[in-house]
Amino acid sequence: MTFFDDLETRSADMREAGQLDQLRAQVAAVRAAQDNCLPEDVVLTSLADLAKLPVLRKSALAAWQKEKPPFGGIPVQNVAHVFQSPGPIYEPGGVTHNWWRLGRFLHALGIGPGDIVQNCFGYHLTPAGMIFENGARAVGAAVLPAGTGQTELQVQAAADIGTTAYAGTPDYLKVILDKAEEMGVRLGITKAAVSGGALFPAMRQDYADRGITCLQCYATADLGNIAYESPAMEGMIVDEGVIVEIVAPGTGDPVPAGEVGEVVVTSLNPDYPLVRFATGDLSAVLPGESPCGRTNIRIKGWMGRADQTTKIKGMFVRPEQVAALVARHPEVARARVIAGRDGAQDTMTVQLEAEGGDPASYADSVAAVLKLKAVVEVVSPGSLPRDGLVIEDQRSYD
């Protein structure tokens, strides 16, 4: 087995040391460019010290960009493209070797010189098309910049030029394959690199039955590749160019290994230094290493959204408020807000994990922080599910 580079198989100590040096450089660059963005008194002696720095959310990034267009004062360099995502938020893009870090994923899938990748991600305004094209170039593959739609033309092109690999959303490959069968055209696609949608087991099996190996990666417009599957297909291996933390939703506090929380990513790309950028996605770290030999940590993949903001009795309740409630009471380990329904009216129950205590004693604190009155229940430590939910909506809208 060959690897994309030696970084994939380094020891945990070597990875920590290498990434710590890169992290310090990133933080120094941001501090120099943005006053008061990152506290000066935080000294990074280990990667664990990242938790002492603030989390950057998309809402804050959008506000920065309005104040200092186009990139909000972040020290960006080597820009070849500027992309737009909903918000709007503007992202820089580069064209240097493996700038978006997709090469590692495509290499794991077996794509390389001699392959022709039919890239069915969009090329207009958003960066997905260029992200995958840059990755294909990094592994020496040729690219058909197909974009989306015009399926009959896509089938014809794939047959004419001998496309061997597909890049795009998981479901659009089936559209192409079904259209090819309808047209009586035989395609030579044997590899599929997918992202941007759910890859259901039945769909993956359908592709396997057609002789196509289909693997997925987890990438975003802001960060590029975050994690990816290898042929072992046991979780998603975190890319070597990022540091991933799993934190309690609404906070920047890391959760214990294996627990579900929000994915927070620090990019080690010096061209676009994003420090503790909150993705808004939920995931969890898997124990051990991948059987494929890559030694970085693995995550389970996408497990839902961390922004569980819910309107109850006409008021929004946010994960940040639940975190603030817990912070008020040292004896409370965690909290869960449950939205329910009693006839035509909303109800709110707040469950607090603590070693005993009078529920009524927390009523004023709940009302002050959440801005609503609630039924308070004190539950024993460890009894609340470790599923990443801090606000659970049990209301039925049928």
Side-chain angles (χ1 to χ4, degrees):
M1 178 186 296
T2 61
F3 298 97
F4 185 76
D5 57 27
D6 293 339
L7 298 180
E8 293 183 343
T9 56
R10 56 186 167 171
S11 68
D13 288 343
M14 290 180 63
R15 182 173 290 110
E16 166 102 10
Q19 290 188 336
L20 183 58
D21 285 343
Q22 293 175 284
L23 174 62
R24 287 168 174 157
Q26 297 291 77
V27 169
V30 173
R31 281 173 171 162
Q34 294 179 287
D35 293 338
N36 303 318
C37 174
L38 298 176
E40 296 283 347
D41 59 345
V42 174
V43 179
L44 299 171
T45 60
S46 70
L47 295 185
D49 289 331
L50 254 180
K52 299 175 183 177
L53 297 175
V55 168
L56 172 59
R57 300 199 173 273
K58 285 194 175 186
S59 57
L61 182 58
W64 288 0
Q65 291 188 354
K66 286 183 179 179
E67 183 178 339
K68 295 182 179 179
F71 303 123
I74 294 174
V76 173
Q77 59 186 0
N78 298 321
V79 178
H81 299 99
V82 178
F83 300 99
Q84 183 194 70
S85 292
I89 291 176
Y90 295 94
E91 298 100 3
V95 292
T96 53
H97 177 74
N98 204 32
W99 197 89
W100 301 94
R101 302 180 313 282
L102 257 291
R104 199 176 301 283
F105 166 51
L106 299 184
H107 179 85
L109 179 54
I111 296 175
D115 279 307
I116 299 176
V117 180
Q118 189 143 334
N119 187 1
C120 296
F121 282 106
Y123 276 79
H124 300 289
L125 284 181
T126 57
M130 293 303 299
I131 288 175
F132 276 78
E133 176 160 326
N134 182 263
R137 291 178 183 276
V139 296
V143 176
L144 173 67
T148 58
Q150 303 186 85
T151 306
E152 287 191 18
L153 289 178
Q154 296 237 21
V155 170
Q156 192 64 56
D160 289 346
I161 69 173
T163 293
T164 59
Y166 164 90
T169 57
D171 53 352
Y172 188 54
L173 175 58
K174 185 177 188 306
V175 175
I176 291 175
L177 297 174
D178 290 348
K179 177 59 72 173
E181 289 183 0
E182 179 186 312
M183 295 168 62
V185 175
R186 183 177 179 83
L187 300 182
I189 297 173
T190 60
K191 306 158 191 170
V194 303
S195 191
L199 175 58
F200 298 103
M203 184 183 297
R204 197 200 302 257
Q205 186 59 52
D206 178 53
Y207 295 150
D209 293 342
R210 301 186 196 218
I212 300 171
T213 300
C214 181
L215 299 181
Q216 60 186 328
C217 73
Y218 171 35
T220 72
D222 319 273
L223 298 157
N225 192 29
I226 298 170
Y228 61 98
E229 287 185 318
S230 74
M233 288 190 283
E234 292 189 13
M236 305 185 86
I237 303 160
V238 171
D239 186 81
E240 299 294 332
V242 295
I243 301 169
V244 167
E245 302 170 85
I246 307 295
V247 308
T251 77
D253 302 328
V255 300
E259 207 168 289
V260 179
E262 183 176 12
V263 179
V264 169
V265 181
T266 296
S267 168
L268 299 176
N269 179 356
D271 290 344
Y272 189 32
L274 289 176
V275 177
R276 301 203 83 200
F277 188 75
T279 65
D281 297 324
L282 292 176
S283 193
V285 172
L286 289 170
E289 296 177 357
S290 172
C292 72
R294 294 169 177 86
T295 57
N296 207 351
I297 64 169
R298 297 171 297 159
I299 59 175
K300 290 186 179 180
W302 190 82
M303 299 177 68
R305 290 294 292 170
D307 184 6
Q308 300 152 28
T309 298
T310 304
K311 184 176 281 189
I312 306 173
K313 301 180 183 178
M315 296 285 290
F316 283 111
V317 178
R318 295 177 168 82
E320 294 86 347
Q321 292 171 283
V322 182
L325 176 64
V326 173
R328 275 195 172 202
H329 302 281
E331 74 280 10
V332 174
R334 63 182 61 232
R336 192 180 188 99
V337 172
I338 300 174
R341 199 83 171 159
D342 183 8
Q345 293 187 327
D346 288 342
T347 63
M348 187 172 80
T349 301
V350 176
Q351 295 180 326
L352 304 174
E353 263 195 20
E355 290 280 5
D358 180 9
S361 66
Y362 295 104
D364 289 344
S365 187
V366 167
V369 177
L370 302 184
K371 310 304 181 185
L372 290 169
K373 292 182 178 180
V375 174
V376 179
E377 299 175 353
V378 177
V379 299
S380 59
S383 61
L384 292 181
R386 267 53 176 173
D387 54 6
L389 285 181
V390 293
I391 302 174
E392 180 183 357
D393 194 345
Q394 295 183 351
R395 293 170 295 189
S396 173
Y397 297 93
D398 296 336

